[in-house]
Amino acid sequence: MNHIQRIGLLAFLGLLIFSGSGAPLVAAEWIDLQDAVVVVRDGDLPRAEQTAATVLIEEIEKRTGIKLSPTDQWPADKTVIALTSQNKVPGWNTAIPMRKGEKLPETQPEGYRISVQQNDDAAPIVWIQGADPRGVLYGVGALLRNLQWGQETAKLSADLNIATAPVSPIRGHQLGYRATANSWDAWTEEQFDQYIRELALFGTNAIENIPFQDGRKNSMMKYSRQDMNRKLSEICARYGLDYWVWTPADFDLNDKKLRSEMLDKHETLYRDCQRLDGVFFPAGDPGDNPPELVLPFLEELSERLITIHPETRIWLSLQRLSRRDVEYIFDYIKTNNPKWLGGLVAGPSSPPAPLIRNSLPPQYQFRLYPDITHNKLCQYVVPWWDPAYALTLGREAINPRPREYAEIHNRLAPYTDGFISYSDGVHDDVNKIVWSTLGWDPNRDVREILIEYCRVFFDPSIAPAAADGILALEKNWQGALADNGAVEGTLLYWNELEKQAPHLRGNWRWQMNLLRANYDAYTRRRLIYETELENQANEILANAPEIGSKAAMKQALDVLNRAQTDPISPELRSRIEELCQDLFESISLQTSVEKYNASGAERGAFLDFVDHPLNNRWWLEDRFTEIAKLPGEAERLKELEIIRTWENPGAGSFYDDLGNIAKSPRLIRWNPAGTNPAHVIRSPSTTYWWLDNGKTRARPSWLTTMEAGTKVVYEGLDPNANYVIRVAGYGQSLLRADDQRLPTSLDERGLGEFKEFPVPKDLLKDRKLTITWDAPTGEEHLNWRQQSRNAEIWLLKQP
């Protein structure tokens, strides 16, 4: 057993202690459903109630092989599962448990009660009583979430008695059928139906499509956009779920021709939709139209909408708008009280949720458009994500973040009427379930939600252990990766789970967890290995004055290139390839542009980055080429010494890679590593840059930067010494020391070039120095990618 395996085994044992035995739920008595009959009301039932019975029968058969019989007649001497949204059903010879009182949960919209009735002289009855047809469907979801099942086995606890109604009236997810998506652009109608059904089992009541934006058609798509727009509406109608559409105007609304064409496209869409419950218009992302153009356009659009769907309203988001534009919109709403407006939406770059709610007249609703799909360059960045992950996993990795997103949801939910999340694939499946469940009941325990998730989608016998495995995956992303030995334990844990559940090999949710566990461990091993290779290369550079600059560079590159010639853990690399192939076959997850037709490197194509260097190898190759061209040995040796001491500037000096949690010990973080961020309090955060489509050869430390407001604190300084602050990043750097603006003695503004600031002696009297920097000035007109940022900082003690 090698060193890595020993560390991993210890972490694995710790996980086992944490997770418990993984045994089935304990119940004093079980109701056997093997021969049960599903009883529904006679007559023409509402679609959701009719579909609820179908879902129950089909989902139990998939899991157990047991096919329950449906009927509208009460059977004699049979266990019954009775579904109804009415208190009285003519023809049933058994009294329905009475529900008295308007405040009972099962009498509230979408609410339900599921209970077991046992009489000494009659067969058991499982009652699923919905406040309305949709409530019956959610009651079926509760039954399946509590079902103890196996091959030819289906049981419910005799103690089961749940009465509940949702807290948030809007609980939805965006499944936009477009080429940008990393999975469902390749789906069939049947796959969409099944996925929407599975979301509904956990309380989802709305699905949002993207009918127009991004008009590309790729080779994966089996339907035209218009066909799928219609099919998604039909699926929602079948389940009684709300159907929304996301429809930006990413063109100049002054263009009368394009404006007219868009109005006509909307009208065609409206006529195609069997049901349509909301039209979401993002005001500024995408689109750069001022509200003076947007609001009249929406008013005209509403005239066409209500002719076809009279109860449907338009919703407007305030994304990426100026303060002036936001104020204009609020003034318009308060002055005109538009009847076409359903409410406002807060998405990425919108004003804070409390501000919107407090500024919006109470007759209008307010929902979130939370980005639960991305990891970086997004609304909810993984806090203090190790750059090794950011470089390789990118924006759309398989990303279960249950505890973090639970906190985000519960911080924001009190201000809103709910949410429809932004998603571009199945990689965020756990996050969707967490949001849907908490939208129903924000007091639910996260681990219990995950146990239900694993009971429904995996196997009841392994559900608690698998839930703990998902929580372990989330912890893999917390803190410095090289120091997180639990990553190895998580891999061992999932390997053991895989051995215990070979029947789940083809389950795409299972495959995603296995892939993440393998990918994380492989990345950690590479990071440790490649860091050591660079340390060895720097030791060679230290001998450059003796062996010569060119010989030192050649020997250093030979060592660095062992990452390719003698790679670590090829067995994990092969397993990652295998699981990516499995996921493409099972759910069309597109983890590579070349192999699996991902729409772009940012769109979940993390297989294309699995071997991205985790040290400075690429940058060093380029620098060595440049240095070799210098005419004199003294110049070459000087440049090599800068490289060798880059992160180790010598006694009395300090270096911090600002965006790297492993290399920024003097940076003051606004929340400890590994804890959940509030995300509603604006604080400095890390930006993980995406240059050259992810294949940049720039020094990796330049790809993680910290925003203005960041603090770097130095203590124990020599008050009699002279110090210079050096900064690398891009553009201008408006540095302050102890809140005093510092003038520059060197001000180079290219990527990675140095800026230097002498430290006034009087600031060192207390032997402490606090460095901050202001937001860049005069850059408001620039795209954020061209704006100034700080990546690295040194405090250099002068000789």
Side-chain angles (χ1 to χ4, degrees):
M1 182 180 290
N2 63 33
H3 179 62
I4 288 177
Q5 288 172 324
R6 281 195 296 273
I7 293 173
L9 180 58
L10 291 173
F12 172 54
L13 292 174
L15 278 171
L16 287 179
I17 293 169
F18 172 71
S19 70
S21 66
L25 293 177
V26 176
E29 187 178 352
W30 296 101
I31 301 299
D32 190 346
L33 302 181
Q34 187 169 359
D35 297 316
V37 176
V38 177
V39 180
V40 298
R41 295 187 293 122
D42 187 17
D44 187 16
L45 296 180
R47 292 289 296 278
E49 191 167 342
Q50 182 181 1
T51 300
T54 301
V55 169
L56 178 62
I57 293 167
E58 291 181 353
E59 294 303 315
I60 288 181
E61 184 179 14
K62 288 174 188 174
R63 288 160 176 76
T64 69
I66 299 168
K67 185 165 186 177
L68 304 182
S69 300
T71 181
D72 57 14
Q73 301 298 313
W74 202 272
D77 302 323
K78 287 276 192 179
T79 298
V80 167
I81 305 174
L83 280 62
T84 178
S85 61
Q86 302 296 316
N87 284 331
K88 295 182 179 180
V89 180
W92 285 6
N93 59 5
T94 299
I96 300 173
M98 293 301 293
R99 300 173 292 175
K100 296 180 181 179
E102 295 181 358
K103 294 185 178 180
L104 291 174
E106 65 267 37
T107 65
Q108 303 302 307
E110 300 185 333
Y112 63 85
R113 178 181 290 275
I114 177 172
S115 59
V116 175
Q117 178 181 329
Q118 286 187 289
N119 300 316
D120 293 337
D121 57 347
I125 304 170
V126 179
W127 292 102
I128 299 178
Q129 301 169 262
D132 46 39
R134 195 184 276 178
V136 177
L137 176 64
Y138 295 133
V140 166
L143 186 151
L144 292 169
R145 297 199 307 273
N146 286 276
L147 187 70
Q148 283 298 118
W149 58 269
Q151 192 61 33
E152 299 299 327
T153 301
K155 301 185 296 184
L156 276 181
S157 168
D159 299 333
L160 188 65
N161 188 359
I162 301 170
T164 180
V167 171
S168 296
I170 305 172
R171 306 175 307 281
H173 303 286
Q174 190 179 81
L175 310 183
Y177 184 69
R178 57 176 179 167
T180 307
N182 65 33
S183 45
W184 49 58
D185 54 334
W187 283 9
T188 63
E189 178 183 359
E190 290 73 23
Q191 285 176 297
F192 272 110
D193 184 288
Q194 181 64 31
Y195 192 57
I196 290 170
R197 170 187 294 193
E198 290 168 352
L199 291 174
L201 296 181
F202 287 83
T204 297
N205 71 354
I207 299 297
E208 187 169 80
N209 186 23
I210 300 177
F212 308 135
Q213 202 263 348
D214 184 3
R216 296 174 295 163
K217 179 167 174 40
N218 64 28
S219 60
M220 308 288 291
M221 300 171 81
K222 298 176 175 62
Y223 309 89
S224 70
R225 295 287 287 278
Q226 184 172 0
D227 283 346
M228 187 52 74
N229 294 341
R230 182 173 58 252
K231 290 177 185 297
L232 286 173
S233 176
E234 292 168 355
I235 292 170
C236 288
R238 184 155 57 246
Y239 288 94
L241 305 182
D242 291 349
Y243 181 58
W244 290 59
V245 290
W246 182 84
T247 57
D250 47 4
F251 61 90
D252 186 350
L253 283 171
N254 282 309
D255 189 317
K256 294 182 180 180
K257 181 176 181 294
L258 293 177
R259 188 178 187 278
S260 177
E261 289 174 353
M262 180 57 75
L263 288 169
D264 290 343
K265 285 176 71 173
H266 272 264
E267 183 170 342
T268 299
L269 172 70
Y270 301 160
R271 295 190 184 281
D272 271 353
C273 290
Q274 187 175 132
R275 75 175 291 165
L276 182 63
D277 301 273
V279 176
F280 170 22
F281 185 91
D285 182 17
D288 296 312
N289 291 290
E292 291 89 339
L293 295 176
V294 167
L295 295 168
F297 173 75
L298 296 183
E299 187 170 354
E300 186 173 351
L301 191 63
S302 71
E303 295 172 1
R304 304 197 185 197
L305 174 63
I306 61 174
T307 301
I308 304 163
H309 298 280
E311 303 302 317
T312 304
R313 295 295 179 264
I314 296 173
W315 292 61
L316 177 66
S317 82
L318 305 180
Q319 292 171 245
R320 205 179 292 172
L321 296 182
S322 68
R323 181 175 178 177
R324 174 261 172 201
D325 287 346
V326 170
E327 291 174 351
Y328 184 99
I329 289 172
F330 279 123
D331 288 343
Y332 170 88
I333 293 172
K334 292 173 183 177
T335 302
N336 296 279
N337 295 309
K339 294 182 179 180
W340 54 263
L341 182 68
L344 293 182
V345 180
S349 72
S350 292
L355 185 151
I356 296 177
R357 180 65 276 174
N358 292 335
S359 302
L360 185 64
Q363 67 266 34
Y364 297 105
Q365 290 185 293
F366 169 46
R367 77 160 174 90
L368 299 177
Y369 180 44
D371 180 355
I372 64 172
T373 207
H374 291 126
N375 314 310
K376 65 174 188 174
L377 298 174
C378 62
Q379 185 178 20
Y380 303 126
V381 176
V382 178
W384 317 119
W385 209 22
D386 193 293
Y389 283 137
L391 284 169
T392 56
L393 284 169
R395 294 188 77 207
E396 290 181 7
I398 296 161
N399 62 351
R401 294 160 64 184
R403 292 203 181 279
E404 182 184 348
Y405 275 124
E407 176 164 340
I408 294 169
H409 173 276
N410 287 348
R411 292 278 186 138
L412 297 174
Y415 301 101
T416 78
D417 297 288
F419 62 88
I420 298 179
S421 75
Y422 170 34
S423 175
D424 257 325
V426 295
H427 61 286
D428 58 13
D429 184 64
V430 166
N431 305 334
K432 291 191 187 84
I433 297 302
V434 168
W435 272 71
S436 292
T437 307
L438 293 175
W440 189 286
D441 179 1
N443 294 314
R444 287 293 308 276
D445 177 75
V446 171
R447 184 171 180 268
E448 288 301 318
I449 294 171
L450 295 179
I451 290 173
E452 288 189 357
Y453 176 90
C454 296
R455 189 182 300 132
V456 169
F457 297 128
F458 297 154
D459 184 328
S461 68
I462 208 170
D468 289 337
I470 293 172
L471 290 170
L473 289 174
E474 182 175 28
K475 288 188 175 182
N476 277 5
W477 283 7
Q478 295 173 358
L481 176 56
D483 297 335
N484 189 354
V487 170
E488 289 290 337
T490 301
L491 175 61
L492 286 172
Y493 191 89
W494 276 101
N495 286 344
E496 287 298 314
L497 286 176
E498 186 178 18
K499 293 175 185 176
Q500 294 176 40
H503 58 289
L504 293 174
R505 187 182 186 282
N507 183 305
W508 63 266
R509 291 180 170 94
W510 190 253
Q511 292 165 347
M512 288 204 304
N513 289 311
L514 292 174
L515 177 53
R516 259 292 308 282
N518 280 272
Y519 201 109
D520 289 357
Y522 180 63
T523 303
R524 180 173 183 268
R525 292 182 191 182
R526 283 205 310 119
L527 175 63
I528 293 170
Y529 179 50
E530 294 181 22
T531 299
E532 178 56 27
L533 293 179
E534 184 164 340
N535 290 338
Q536 294 176 26
N538 281 328
E539 290 175 5
I540 293 170
L541 296 183
N543 295 324
E546 288 75 36
I547 65 176
S549 61
K550 293 186 177 180
M553 288 188 286
K554 181 182 183 305
Q555 291 179 28
L557 282 179
D558 288 342
V559 170
L560 291 168
N561 285 329
R562 289 179 196 160
Q564 294 176 297
T565 60
D566 186 20
I568 195 168
S569 299
E571 75 286 356
L572 288 188
R573 180 67 171 78
S574 297
R575 183 67 174 132
I576 290 166
E577 289 270 6
E578 178 185 336
L579 286 164
C580 286
Q581 178 66 35
D582 289 345
L583 279 160
F584 183 70
E585 293 173 0
S586 63
I587 202 63
S588 302
L589 187 64
Q590 297 144 36
T591 56
S592 168
V593 174
E594 183 177 345
K595 292 188 69 173
Y596 302 124
N597 299 306
S599 64
E602 283 188 286
R603 297 294 177 175
F606 48 83
L607 181 59
D608 294 343
F609 298 89
V610 67
D611 295 318
H612 193 290
L614 298 180
N615 58 17
N616 292 296
R617 173 163 57 90
W618 282 356
W619 179 74
L620 288 169
E621 288 175 350
D622 295 344
R623 284 294 296 133
F624 288 170
T625 298
E626 294 169 359
I627 292 170
K629 296 176 183 177
L630 295 175
E633 178 71 356
E635 291 178 84
R636 292 193 291 269
L637 290 174
K638 179 182 177 182
E639 292 299 320
L640 291 180
E641 185 65 6
I642 291 173
I643 289 171
R644 185 186 72 82
T645 60
W646 192 282
E647 297 183 12
N648 299 284
S653 296
F654 307 92
Y655 167 80
D656 287 88
D657 179 352
L658 292 170
N660 189 334
I661 189 171
K663 297 181 179 181
S664 51
R666 283 157 286 275
L667 185 142
I668 305 301
R669 293 181 171 81
W670 53 271
N671 68 293
T675 64
N676 292 330
H679 282 298
V680 292
I681 303 171
R682 188 72 183 94
S683 302
S685 63
T686 309
T687 299
Y688 301 91
W689 294 87
W690 183 258
L691 304 178
D692 299 334
N693 212 23
K695 297 291 188 179
T696 179
R697 296 175 66 87
R699 188 177 177 91
S701 54
W702 302 338
L703 305 179
T704 55
T705 61
M706 289 299 301
E707 298 176 342
T710 301
K711 287 185 179 181
V712 179
V713 178
Y714 302 95
E715 296 186 277
L717 302 179
D718 182 350
N720 298 313
N722 294 314
Y723 288 92
V724 170
I725 297 169
R726 175 184 292 166
V727 173
Y730 176 79
Q732 58 183 311
S733 186
L734 306 179
L735 222 64
R736 291 181 179 271
D738 293 345
D739 207 34
Q740 177 179 319
R741 177 69 67 79
L742 297 180
T744 61
S745 58
L746 178 67
D747 191 11
E748 297 177 337
R749 299 195 175 191
L751 181 64
E753 293 183 338
F754 294 153
K755 290 168 267 295
E756 293 187 350
F757 306 81
V759 178
K761 271 298 224 7
D762 62 318
L763 299 181
L764 300 170
K765 293 177 182 178
D766 60 355
R767 301 174 183 264
K768 181 178 178 180
L769 198 63
T770 298
I771 303 300
T772 58
W773 49 91
D774 299 337
T777 58
E779 297 185 356
E780 295 79 10
H781 64 290
L782 295 177
N783 181 282
W784 63 275
R785 293 174 179 84
Q786 279 76 53
Q787 292 180 352
S788 298
R789 62 259 193 184
N790 290 331
E792 300 171 288
I793 189 168
W794 294 258
L795 181 63
L796 301 174
K797 187 176 183 180
Q798 300 301 289

